[in-house]
């Protein structure tokens, strides 16, 4: 293996030393947990934009990132050289997948024709290295938000030329998905929302967005692309209101336009928090609709209310996510855990890219181990079955099977006393439930 990074491969070191370094304590790809290997459950992916392009800027400061390919000054030469670094990082970490936006991997030309020509050269190199390493494309997507032409959106731009350009860009991006064997294709609605509702034709913009999605479905059929289409909800940033606000809003949109047969959801932890939800809530809502597609694994910061894209390290959250995944059987049909995350601005070395992925991978592996133990003991399954047990027979069963009317409920309830109704309820003992999760966390990881 080449040694462009001068680091790795990253070994499994187990629990020999509590100080986290360049080794995995929990993640063992071949270790079987709940009937599948860790690698099969977790399907980690590296996000090209954060890991290889992000300079670690913030609104008050320039980038601090130090990368081994910084010596390349020509943008096309840099783009081509960088691909080698990316595949070496995937293989040294033992990550099986990657994700990218079209504009992450290559610089733009003046026209789309020129841009596509540059892009295709880089795609050629990616295809060669996929072939050589076996690393697969979890998903790709279009960047329809960075360039000034997208100032008022892409598919929801009020300017028809911008809509047309966006569709043309999407077409080529779908061809790349086909060429590289993408398992999913993601739409994150960058600037698809509004700054101010007074100057916005909300209905017309959403109709346009739906047309855009339908065109993607039609073209995928035409070229035989069988990637799962995904929409990634986010409530705000960069616009003050994004149309794909959260899982529930996006599901309503998909059903309104009859697109729910062709799209599922890609859910992100930090986006869930921005919408005022837990990550687990968003996943549960998608599961309830049969629309869980994939996961962007990251976390926010309780003290800062913005999309910080931190690498996941909160074991309580990774446990809840992996519990949902275990209960579902997989992360959607072809989903994975994409680290849509960047190291902090103060973690600027190339080694920090490895360190931060190791932390994310270990945190999810640990979460999987804890969730598997909870699942094996059926702790929540039993608790929930008992909580809703009154719907298994009698009047509850008549409600669920549709045989009870309001008149039947009146006959049943008219003479129930306050005491009888209060006695029908049970304490949830929620504090003990939370402590039980803590106990599972500590015990399962002590045994791991
Ligand atoms: C933005 C975000 C995107 C999508 C892909 O917050 O999460 O990077 O994941 O466009
Ligand atoms: Co994301």
């Amino acid at each position: 293996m080449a040694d462009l990074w001068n680091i790795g491969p990253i070994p499994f070191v187990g629990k020999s030393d509590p100080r986290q370094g360049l080794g995995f304590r929990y993640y063992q790809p071949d270790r079987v947990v709940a009937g599948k290997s860790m690698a099969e459950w977790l399907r980690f992916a590296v996000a090209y934009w954060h890991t290889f392009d992000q300079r670690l800027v913030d609104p008050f400061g320039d980038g601090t990132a130090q990368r081994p390919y910084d010596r390349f000054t020509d943008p096309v030469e840099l783009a081509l050289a960088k691909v080698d670094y990316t595949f070496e990082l995937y293989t040294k970490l033992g990550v099986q997948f990657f994700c990218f936006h079209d504009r992450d991997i290559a610089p733009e030309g003046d026209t789309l024709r020129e841009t596509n020509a540059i892009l295709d050269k880089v795609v050629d190199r990616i295809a060669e290295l996929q072939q050589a390493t076996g690393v697969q494309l979890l998903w790709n997507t279009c960047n329809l938000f960075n360039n000034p032409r997208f100032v008022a959106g892409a598919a929801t731009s009020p300017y028809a030329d911008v809509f047309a350009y966006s569709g043309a860009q999407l077409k080529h991006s779908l061809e790349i998905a086909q060429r590289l064997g993408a398992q999913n294709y993601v739409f994150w609605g960058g600037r698809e929302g509004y700054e101010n509702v007074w100057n916005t034709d909300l209905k017309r913009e959403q109709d346009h967005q739906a047309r855009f999605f339908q065109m993607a479905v039609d073209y995928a059929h035409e070229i035989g692309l069988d990637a799962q289409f995904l929409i990634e909800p986010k409530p705000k940033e960069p616009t003050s209101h994004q149309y794909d606000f959260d899982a529930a809003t996006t599901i309503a949109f998909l059903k309104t336009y009859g697109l729910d047969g062709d799209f599922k959801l890609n859910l992100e932890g930090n986006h869930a928090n921005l919408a005022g939800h837990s990550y687990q809530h968003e996943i549960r809502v998608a599961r309830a609709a049969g629309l869980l597609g994939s996961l962007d694994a990251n976390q926010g910061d309780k003290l800062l209310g913005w999309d910080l894209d931190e690498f996941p390290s909160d074991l309580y959250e990774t446990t809840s996510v992996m519990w949902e995944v275990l209960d579902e059987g997989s992360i959607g049909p072809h989903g994975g855990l994409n680290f849509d995350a960047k190291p902090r601005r103060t973690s600027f070395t190339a080694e920090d890219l490895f360190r931060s992925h190791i932390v994310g991978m270990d945190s999810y592996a640990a979460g999987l181990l804890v969730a598997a133990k909870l699942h094996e003991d059926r702790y929540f399954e039993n608790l929930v079955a008992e909580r809703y047990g009154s719907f298994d027979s009698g009047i509850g069963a008549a409600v669920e099977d549709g045989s009870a009317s309001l008149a039947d409920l009146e006959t049943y309830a008219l003479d129930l006393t306050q005491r009888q109704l209060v006695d029908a309820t049970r304490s949830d003992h929620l504090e003990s439930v939370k402590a039980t999760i803590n106990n599972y966390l500590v015990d399962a990881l002590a045994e791991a």
Side-chain angles (χ1 to χ4, degrees), residues 233-236 245-246 267-282 298-302 304-310 314 317:
K234 184 175 183 179
K236 52 193 166 187
F245 190 92
D246 62 359
L267 299 163
E268 177 164 326
N270 207 159
H271 294 181
N273 303 155
L274 289 177
H277 304 308
S278 68
Y279 201 4
Q280 186 179 17
H281 165 94
E282 287 293 84
N298 65 14
Q299 67 184 30
D301 183 320
K302 287 190 182 69
L304 301 169
W306 216 233
D307 192 10
L308 290 152
D309 292 334
E310 285 188 5
D314 176 346
E317 184 162 275

Side-chain angles (χ1 to χ4, degrees), residues 49-50 101 139 141 145 186 188 232 234 266 268 271 296 307 309 338 340:
W49 54 102
H50 279 317
H101 303 79
W139 51 261
T141 181
F145 43 89
V186 165
W188 167 60
E232 182 176 321
K234 184 175 183 179
N266 182 41
E268 177 164 326
H271 294 181
D296 266 13
D307 192 10
D309 292 334
N338 167 47
D340 193 353

Side-chain angles (χ1 to χ4, degrees), residues 224-364:
L225 169 66
D226 67 356
Q228 171 66 55
F229 280 119
L230 302 174
I231 294 180
E232 182 176 321
K234 184 175 183 179
K236 52 193 166 187
E237 194 201 16
T239 66
S240 54
H241 177 91
Q242 304 265 132
Y243 290 131
D244 305 329
F245 190 92
D246 62 359
T249 312
T250 308
I251 292 165
F253 172 88
L254 289 174
K255 288 190 187 286
T256 302
Y257 289 99
L259 290 164
D260 50 317
D262 290 301
F263 286 80
K264 293 191 190 296
L265 304 185
N266 182 41
L267 299 163
E268 177 164 326
N270 207 159
H271 294 181
N273 303 155
L274 289 177
H277 304 308
S278 68
Y279 201 4
Q280 186 179 17
H281 165 94
E282 287 293 84
I283 298 169
R284 187 71 70 88
V285 169
R287 290 184 58 210
L291 293 178
L292 174 61
S294 196
L295 298 171
D296 266 13
N298 65 14
Q299 67 184 30
D301 183 320
K302 287 190 182 69
L303 303 181
L304 301 169
W306 216 233
D307 192 10
L308 290 152
D309 292 334
E310 285 188 5
F311 271 89
S313 60
D314 176 346
L315 297 185
Y316 199 88
E317 184 162 275
T318 61
T319 297
S320 68
V321 170
M322 291 317 298
W323 191 92
E324 296 296 324
V325 170
L326 281 159
D327 201 41
E328 184 73 14
S330 65
I331 311 174
H334 312 285
L337 285 165
N338 167 47
F339 289 116
D340 193 353
K342 57 184 181 231
R344 296 308 84 196
R345 192 163 178 275
T346 44
S347 302
F348 46 75
T349 67
E351 189 185 273
D352 284 308
L353 289 177
F354 285 82
R355 286 182 180 271
S356 50
H357 282 89
I358 293 166
V359 170
M361 291 164 78
D362 253 355
S363 299
Y364 266 96

